[in-house]
Amino acid sequence: MKRGLLLSLAVILISLELSAQSFSKAADDAYLITHMVQKFHFQPRAVNNRFSSDVLNKFFKSLDGQRIFFMQEDIRSLSKYKYLLDDHVKNKATDFLAAVYPIYQKRLLQAQAMMDMVGKTPVNLYSSEKFTAAEDTTWPVNAAAQKNKIA
């Protein structure tokens, strides 16, 4: 029992260390890319608050374009970085990455568990269903809303 606990703890610590290293590399890469664009692009975009806002919006769209995984509370908590990402890039800070990584990982695992559960439910071809062309474009409020979007 103790050996399994120690092994689990070691795996967690190693994964956190690897994440910290990859966060640092990502921050270095972002700094280098923006620096090179500022220096060599014929019409560089300013790295300012508008840049931060656009990057955050595109980030969420690329990770969760259908708004299934992140919850409203996640978006609220990560929105504090909306005008800080430009400063993070300039200072090679990893705060945002360290904040978003565990949230996204947790939400993906939750969604996977829900999809497994939905996949085990037999399909009833004779049940009445309603199809609408309108799509729910809001972030789920809770796990029940998330399950409704997945199913």
Side-chain angles (χ1 to χ4, degrees), residues 33-103:
I33 290 168
T34 56
H35 183 71
M36 296 301 280
V37 166
Q38 292 295 316
K39 188 172 182 177
F40 295 113
H41 198 277
F42 71 95
Q43 195 174 11
R45 180 174 179 185
V47 180
N48 54 19
N49 287 345
R50 182 170 179 154
F51 170 85
S52 293
S53 176
D54 291 346
V55 166
L56 187 65
N57 290 334
K58 288 182 182 185
F59 180 80
F60 285 135
K61 188 174 183 174
S62 68
L63 280 184
D64 192 7
Q66 294 180 341
R67 297 184 176 196
I68 295 173
F69 304 117
F70 286 114
M71 304 285 181
Q72 286 181 5
E73 68 183 68
D74 302 332
I75 300 301
R76 245 188 325 275
S77 71
L78 295 171
S79 289
K80 69 181 179 184
Y81 296 100
K82 185 173 186 173
Y83 299 116
L84 298 174
L85 293 179
D86 59 320
D87 299 323
H88 284 186
V89 168
K90 292 174 187 173
N91 298 321
K92 299 181 185 179
T94 60
D95 301 355
F96 174 71
L97 295 174
V100 77
Y101 179 78
I103 293 171

Side-chain angles (χ1 to χ4, degrees), residues 18-38:
L18 292 175
S19 296
Q21 289 175 3
S22 64
F23 293 162
S24 177
K25 181 172 177 3
D28 289 343
D29 291 348
Y31 172 81
L32 182 62
I33 290 168
T34 56
H35 183 71
M36 296 301 280
V37 166
Q38 292 295 316

